[in-house]
Amino acid sequence: MVGGRGVRGCVGLGGKVEGSRSFARYPCGGVRSESGRRFGGAARRQEVLARRQEVLARAAPPLENEQNEEVRVIPTSIHDIDNGKILGFDHNLSEDHPGFKDEDYKQRRSWIAGLARDILPGDEIPRLEYRPEEVETWAKALEELEQLFPTHACKEFLDAIDKLDFRPDVVPQLQDVHQVLQETSGFAIRPVAGLLHPRDFLNGLAFKTFHSTQYMRHWSQPHYTPEPDLIHEIIGHIPMLTNKYYADMVQQIGLASLYATDKEIWHLTKVYWYTVEFGVVMEDEEIKAFGAGVLSSYGELDHMRTGNPEFAPLDPWAKQPKMSYKDGFQKKYFVLNSFEEGSELLREYSQTFLDRKQ
């Protein structure tokens, strides 16, 4: 049970709170305060820096061959993928972001982003002590979404969220949900500071690694976020990733990305968008949501059922519609008949990329 393992009254599961300062627990006994000071982790820090240099070296920019053609190094493991190439939505917020004028919020985002940069594959994910306003934000979002889940979400999601047993008074820790995924689909969680470059993010899926943010949306708008945040990741993505057919479908997109050109990466990003983020599935002659962008948004869930959008079968080979974060709800959703069928469809699609392997 993830939801029942909270930090309240148990320092071993969360971070210690002293006055107004927060702490995150590291493996090997190191602790980092929210002010940036580190305690008992000098050796650990040197190890992280050395290992990060190895990752950056393996994830170096493409080289050119004698014909001046770009030759990109294909990752062979999650250790070859850098989680530091952030395109946006990190702690440097835009003026239209709900937390733009909240310096305390931005500083906390920056601190959490720093934690993500220190974590390498295989490391234990630091446990955070979430602030009262963050717990309240989580609770408001969860309680509102739970009103629509029984009628709007697919049965695979409902089964998973029942087992995860999320509670409104406890924000789940990434390390706990990581362990659940390891025991179900074999996926892993790796923290990231913001919106990762599409190639790096999709490449991670090939190695059954989901890059997840660890910060909370701004407390002033608990039902809205302009970027991925912990609520979107935990409620939207984690439950579905416990399903083996769905997880395989997601991995197939990642495998295709390993051999995709830069132009094809953007097409694959759209395939991901219209499945993993905004996908829907037929269930007993009804359309139900499985995409994280739908499941983590009350407005999108309601729009999907009552907003008269267009529905069409998924064709990953076809040109996909434009993606947008700020144009309101989706005008078109792509439908799967089942996750088994979706897994086979995307396996066939990804094979066209894997066939390029020499």
Side-chain angles (χ1 to χ4, degrees), residues 208-228:
K208 302 185 80 169
T209 298
F210 185 84
H211 287 87
S212 170
T213 56
Q214 201 171 7
Y215 52 79
M216 190 75 68
R217 63 191 58 179
H218 194 260
W219 58 268
S220 66
Q221 294 192 36
H223 306 304
Y224 168 76
T225 177
E227 78 270 85

Side-chain angles (χ1 to χ4, degrees), residues 55-67:
V55 172
L56 291 175
R58 288 194 292 267
L63 304 175
E64 291 185 347
N65 61 17
E66 293 180 357
Q67 289 75 40

Side-chain angles (χ1 to χ4, degrees), residues 211 257 310 312 336:
H211 287 87
S257 75
E310 180 183 354
L336 297 178

